[in-house]
Amino acid sequence: MLPRPKTTFTLKQDPREIMVRSSKSPKISDRAAVQSVTLNCLPGEHVHVESLRVRKRMHFKDGHREVYGTLYCTSYRIAFRPDCIRSPQDSSGEALFDNDNDIALPCVDRILAVAGQSKVKVVTPSLSLKFVPEELMIHYRGFRLMHFHFSDNGLKTEAYTMTNAMIKNQQLISSATHREEAMLRSLDRRESEARMDYPTRLFESLADWENEIERLGATAWRVTPLNERCDTCTSLSKYFVVPCKLLDNDLKKTFAHFQQRRIARWSWHHPCGSDLLRAAGFQSNTDPDKEDLKSMRLLLFVNHSQCVVIDTSEDLPSISDIQISYLKLRSLCSADASTPTPDEKWLSNLEGTRWLDYVRLCLKKASDVAILLGERRRSVVLQESEDRDLNCLLASLIQLVLDPHTRTLSGFQSLIQKEWVSAGHPFMQRINHFKRSDKEESPVFLLFLDCVWQFVQQSPTAFEFTESYLMALHDSTYNLFCSTFTHNCHWDRIRGSQRHSSSQTYTPVNGWRDIVREKVLLNGDYKPVEDVKAVPPTVWEWSLFYSHVRRQQFRNPVYHVREHAVLNGNGSGHNADKMNVSNNCSVYMLSKGSLVLQSPLFPRKIGTVSKRTARRAQSAESLLEEEKPFRSNVATYSPAEDLLLPISVGPWVTLWKRCYLRYTTDMAQHDAGHPPATSLVEELRILEDRLRNLHTYSRDQRLGVPSHPNGLTPSSNR
């Protein structure tokens, strides 16, 4: 393992000027004829430097291997194309942006130049170079590293030229706003539109929401187009779901009572009749006695007499806590630690990052809320100050626990679209792609993926996707060539596309208007500009970013298909929507494991429970007795059929080694190519143990003996 450098060196201006060459350059075309195929450039992209016969090193648990190929530095990215796939039949299906071999320049964290065993320096964009590098180690966001060796036939100037071009282009693209916008739309689909491998609802249309309501059998809810122009709340989606009994005129009155006008809205429906909602915090000037709060009561309760308000910030880590923990974890797992941590201290240092503690808290909170929705049949309102971070994480985990459809590839991708992309998670600030502001950076979405990985590890047959799929999604978070994780909300995505078109003539305050699209719809003979048809791809179009061999690893071959996994509402007899509503509606707060009745109905500040006005905290058993009259007409339903509760105690929550330690020489395993035989043997042994104990686990469950799914023990999961 190479030691982390304590000093840096700067690059001196190359005496030979770097020639900027595009993909149509005659010189590149000649070389491409010899090499069978050249880099497939993006629109507006130019190749600045290319180096032949570069070796890319890939690390495994029991060693490493090297692959020969060509290294490119372009105006947008650093790209590597292996020689083994450079044939005419392969070039036609080559991904435009290969997430395994390409790096967007803004996502480069640092570049290390190596010469011999002693010279390891961090490259900076200033002037002076004291040696010609033999190797380049390019660290980029998300625990990833590319390690390149240049030709052994003497110290060639290509390494010098390549390093210089990388630094200069990274500095240029990070400082120019128009270049950033060009990157975000460089993969616009025009004539040939890539198809999704797995059908995914984007929740950008009214039909997507209506289909979700129909799938879940939530007959008491409807889709409202009140925010169709994004002028009511810019951070919410164009469409969202509200009670059928609540008219849009009355709904407008409730927006002002929530922070950032993010009102309470429907997210998911349980077959027993309970509903999951999410909302921002109440405004401090909300008066419980005002007349227009009748609409808010109807919005929260619908056909239920009671609901539980969950303050997601009470037990979960804050945004800054997640960021600090992530930075500590990245420092610990980095492949170039300055002083290697002794084995006896590594686990204690891992515990000091608190990353696994935060994963446990998220799993525990999701399990508690899922039990409230399923077994105790209470509607739940997730409430967060701005409703854009922890609410996204918790709402997604709850549905993974309760809804088998979300454990399929199509369902999981639709879940992310619904609870993260459409709901307005600020990806640009939290991921901080262009490093504009470190204050708002926090990998909340990556914490969610870690929680999902814990699910998959504990119950592998319950999920259609694999660990390789989660790693691809983890790495795609930093993909700047798709629109999924590069905008904060739908309105921001619309504004981004409008900035590139000269046809946008009017943009009202807090709203938008596309004159060109309106003319296309109203006048068939109108000829729109070409940019109108350009649609940025989504991350779910995996064929644009991953090879066919890699995509084959996304599907789980041992996935157990359930009969009701596609349509969660089929056969449940949704009589729950006909529940009798009591005149006295009650709101409870879940605080430290107990339900506390709120009085007044809406507290002045989210998460604040008044001791003078709140009743004594009641146990779950007493509350269950109270709600019996309200469940007289509810259809019988066995929640154990779909309930998938994760184990959140210490030994069962483990480090995602394949993601966080994949590039260290002693513990990592790269996804490219075939894994070592020792790894396959170990995986087969674990699989055999799990299959052998399935019968034992089922028997213990019937007898009430506590055991772990699939017969695992803590030692076998390490």
Side-chain angles (χ1 to χ4, degrees):
M1 183 182 296
L2 293 173
R4 184 169 191 162
K6 297 182 179 180
T7 58
T8 63
F9 79 93
T10 52
L11 289 177
K12 187 178 181 180
Q13 179 66 36
D14 188 6
R16 304 173 306 165
E17 275 199 84
I18 300 175
M19 182 183 301
V20 178
R21 297 169 293 179
S22 69
S23 59
K24 298 181 179 180
S25 173
K27 188 172 183 180
I28 293 182
S29 300
D30 295 339
R31 299 182 70 175
V34 178
Q35 295 296 324
S36 297
V37 65
T38 187
L39 180 68
N40 202 352
C41 288
L42 307 173
E45 183 180 23
H46 300 278
V47 176
H48 286 251
V49 179
E50 68 175 276
S51 182
L52 304 177
R53 300 296 291 170
V54 175
R55 291 173 292 156
K56 178 184 177 183
R57 173 171 292 184
M58 296 181 294
H59 297 284
F60 298 95
K61 290 181 179 178
D62 52 359
H64 67 272
R65 70 183 182 95
E66 295 179 341
V67 176
Y68 281 91
T70 304
L71 182 63
Y72 300 89
C73 178
T74 76
S75 51
Y76 290 163
R77 55 178 164 163
I78 300 170
F80 178 78
R81 291 296 176 266
D83 291 336
C84 57
I85 63 171
R86 299 172 71 83
S87 61
Q89 57 266 29
D90 292 333
S91 61
S92 60
E94 181 186 358
L96 288 178
F97 182 85
D98 187 352
N99 252 336
D100 288 330
N101 293 304
D102 295 359
I103 313 172
L105 284 171
C107 295
V108 174
D109 192 19
R110 62 187 181 278
I111 300 176
L112 274 68
V114 182
Q117 298 295 327
S118 58
K119 296 181 180 179
V120 182
K121 303 293 182 180
V122 177
V123 181
T124 58
S126 314
L127 301 175
S128 79
L129 176 62
K130 298 181 180 178
F131 64 87
V132 176
E134 301 173 12
E135 305 175 19
L136 287 181
M137 300 177 65
I138 306 175
H139 292 260
Y140 56 120
R141 311 284 293 279
F143 300 93
R144 291 183 288 176
L145 165 70
M146 280 193 181
H147 193 174
F148 296 107
H149 293 249
F150 288 84
S151 175
D152 295 330
N153 301 326
L155 297 180
K156 296 187 176 181
T157 58
E158 285 158 342
Y160 178 97
T161 306
M162 181 67 67
T163 308
N164 196 15
M166 290 178 183
I167 291 297
K168 288 187 175 180
N169 282 280
Q170 183 193 20
Q171 188 181 27
L172 178 63
I173 200 169
S174 298
S175 60
T177 304
H178 67 281
R179 297 288 295 276
E180 295 176 9
E181 295 176 353
M183 283 190 64
L184 296 180
R185 69 190 301 265
S186 59
L187 273 180
D188 285 352
R189 295 167 296 171
R190 299 181 188 273
E191 293 87 2
S192 60
E193 182 173 325
R195 298 184 61 183
M196 296 183 184
D197 292 45
Y198 317 104
T200 303
R201 291 174 182 165
L202 301 181
F203 291 95
E204 294 179 353
S205 65
L206 187 142
D208 285 345
W209 287 102
E210 289 181 339
N211 291 334
E212 183 74 355
I213 291 175
E214 182 180 359
R215 181 184 75 87
L216 296 170
T219 57
W221 300 85
R222 67 175 178 89
V223 184
T224 176
L226 193 60
N227 197 43
E228 194 168 20
R229 294 185 178 273
C230 299
D231 53 352
T232 306
C233 178
T234 56
S235 62
L236 283 179
S237 60
K238 295 170 60 177
Y239 308 97
F240 48 87
V241 180
V242 296
C244 292
K245 298 179 180 179
L246 186 59
L247 301 178
D248 284 346
N249 288 335
D250 297 329
L251 183 63
K252 291 179 181 179
K253 303 175 183 178
T254 64
F255 280 87
H257 296 291
F258 293 91
Q259 296 186 25
Q260 296 189 2
R261 300 177 64 83
R262 294 178 63 89
I263 66 169
R265 61 205 183 278
W266 178 86
S267 182
W268 187 77
H269 178 79
H270 195 278
C272 73
S274 56
D275 293 288
L276 177 66
L277 293 82
R278 51 182 295 183
F282 296 119
Q283 290 284 7
S284 58
N285 59 352
T286 298
D287 186 358
D289 299 324
K290 291 185 68 174
E291 182 69 20
D292 56 4
L293 285 190
K294 292 181 180 179
S295 300
M296 192 183 297
R297 288 176 178 269
L298 185 59
L299 180 64
L300 294 178
F301 291 100
V302 194
N303 290 322
H304 307 285
S305 301
Q306 301 174 353
C307 74
V308 180
V309 177
I310 307 291
D311 180 5
T312 56
S313 62
E314 182 178 283
D315 298 322
L316 300 184
S318 65
I319 301 304
S320 59
D321 290 339
I322 296 174
Q323 173 66 0
I324 294 173
S325 176
Y326 182 78
L327 292 177
K328 291 181 180 179
L329 179 67
R330 190 171 65 179
S331 176
L332 178 65
C333 299
S334 177
D336 64 324
S338 56
T339 55
T341 305
D343 293 342
E344 62 272 12
K345 293 184 179 180
W346 200 91
L347 290 178
S348 60
N349 290 347
L350 175 62
E351 184 180 0
T353 65
R354 300 209 63 190
W355 182 260
L356 295 182
D357 289 337
Y358 295 156
V359 173
R360 294 187 189 99
L361 290 175
C362 294
L363 295 177
K364 179 65 168 59
K365 191 85 169 181
S367 300
D368 293 342
V369 179
I371 291 175
L372 280 174
L373 282 164
E375 295 182 355
R376 302 180 191 174
R377 303 179 182 182
R378 290 177 175 269
S379 289
V380 172
V381 181
L382 301 179
Q383 197 168 34
E384 185 188 9
S385 177
E386 296 182 358
D387 179 40
R388 303 184 71 176
D389 292 295
L390 297 178
N391 270 9
C392 300
L393 185 149
L394 196 57
S396 302
L397 292 180
I398 292 169
Q399 294 175 55
L400 279 175
V401 172
L402 294 170
D403 191 350
H405 175 63
T406 61
R407 302 168 207 155
T408 65
L409 279 160
S410 296
F412 185 71
Q413 294 181 173
S414 300
L415 175 68
I416 294 177
Q417 281 289 145
K418 180 176 69 171
E419 301 298 345
W420 294 85
V421 181
S422 177
H425 177 67
F427 283 104
M428 286 297 289
Q429 278 73 37
R430 297 296 179 255
I431 303 300
N432 197 15
H433 296 88
F434 292 98
K435 302 178 183 179
R436 292 175 177 174
S437 175
D438 296 337
K439 294 181 180 179
E440 299 182 23
E441 182 177 348
S442 182
V444 183
F445 183 71
L446 303 185
L447 177 62
F448 162 70
L449 293 182
D450 198 322
C451 294
V452 177
W453 179 81
Q454 305 292 337
F455 273 93
V456 175
Q457 286 296 106
Q458 295 180 15
S459 304
T461 60
F463 291 86
E464 188 183 10
F465 50 87
T466 62
E467 181 184 22
S468 295
Y469 171 83
L470 291 177
M471 288 188 63
L473 187 56
H474 180 281
D475 296 345
S476 298
T477 307
Y478 299 100
N479 187 349
L480 298 178
F481 298 94
C482 61
S483 62
T484 305
F485 303 133
T486 53
H487 295 85
N488 293 333
C489 57
H490 187 70
W491 181 59
D492 186 42
R493 192 172 291 106
I494 293 170
R495 289 194 303 166
S497 63
Q498 285 180 339
R499 283 194 294 265
H500 302 297
S501 174
S502 59
S503 303
Q504 309 301 329
T505 57
Y506 170 65
T507 301
V509 178
N510 294 331
W512 63 275
R513 185 182 178 190
D514 196 335
I515 301 297
V516 174
R517 293 186 186 274
E518 290 179 3
K519 290 183 178 181
V520 171
L521 293 176
L522 296 177
N523 190 0
D525 58 353
Y526 179 78
K527 302 297 182 182
V529 295
E530 184 183 6
D531 284 344
V532 176
K533 295 183 180 180
V535 181
T538 65
V539 73
W540 317 123
E541 298 170 26
W542 296 108
S543 59
L544 289 176
F545 311 111
Y546 287 96
S547 65
H548 175 69
V549 175
R550 180 69 187 278
R551 299 198 305 274
Q552 285 182 324
Q553 303 174 13
F554 290 173
R555 189 182 293 274
N556 182 10
V558 296
Y559 168 62
H560 177 64
V561 182
R562 304 178 65 93
E563 295 180 358
H564 55 289
V566 177
L567 294 177
N568 187 55
N570 276 358
S572 298
H574 298 279
N575 297 326
D577 287 332
K578 301 178 181 179
M579 295 174 62
N580 294 326
V581 182
S582 173
N583 292 328
N584 298 322
C585 298
S586 303
V587 172
Y588 291 89
M589 290 286 295
L590 181 64
S591 177
K592 297 181 180 179
S594 300
L595 295 179
V596 182
L597 181 65
Q598 285 298 303
S599 178
L601 182 60
F602 306 106
R604 293 289 182 179
K605 188 177 181 181
I606 176 174
T608 302
V609 179
S610 174
K611 296 182 179 179
R612 294 180 298 177
T613 59
R615 290 184 183 177
R616 175 180 56 87
Q618 302 178 5
S619 64
E621 290 76 10
S622 62
L623 289 173
L624 203 60
E625 291 295 326
E626 287 184 7
E627 63 185 2
K628 281 184 178 179
F630 305 114
R631 292 190 279 129
S632 58
N633 295 327
V634 179
T636 58
Y637 174 77
S638 177
E641 296 178 1
D642 295 335
L643 196 64
L644 185 67
L645 290 176
I647 300 178
S648 57
V649 294
W652 302 107
V653 178
T654 59
L655 182 68
W656 192 359
K657 294 181 182 179
R658 195 177 176 189
C659 180
Y660 302 143
L661 299 175
R662 56 181 136 167
Y663 288 111
T664 56
T665 56
D666 55 343
M667 304 182 72
Q669 177 179 334
H670 199 278
D671 273 336
H674 299 286
T678 54
S679 301
L680 292 177
V681 171
E682 179 66 18
E683 291 181 8
L684 286 174
R685 186 190 64 80
I686 295 176
L687 182 59
E688 289 175 355
D689 292 340
R690 288 172 175 170
L691 293 175
R692 191 181 301 113
N693 289 288
L694 278 176
H695 177 71
T696 304
Y697 169 70
S698 301
R699 182 194 61 191
D700 292 342
Q701 288 294 103
R702 290 194 299 268
L703 297 177
V705 179
S707 62
H708 185 266
N710 304 309
L712 286 175
T713 61
S715 60
S716 65
N717 195 32
R718 288 172 185 162

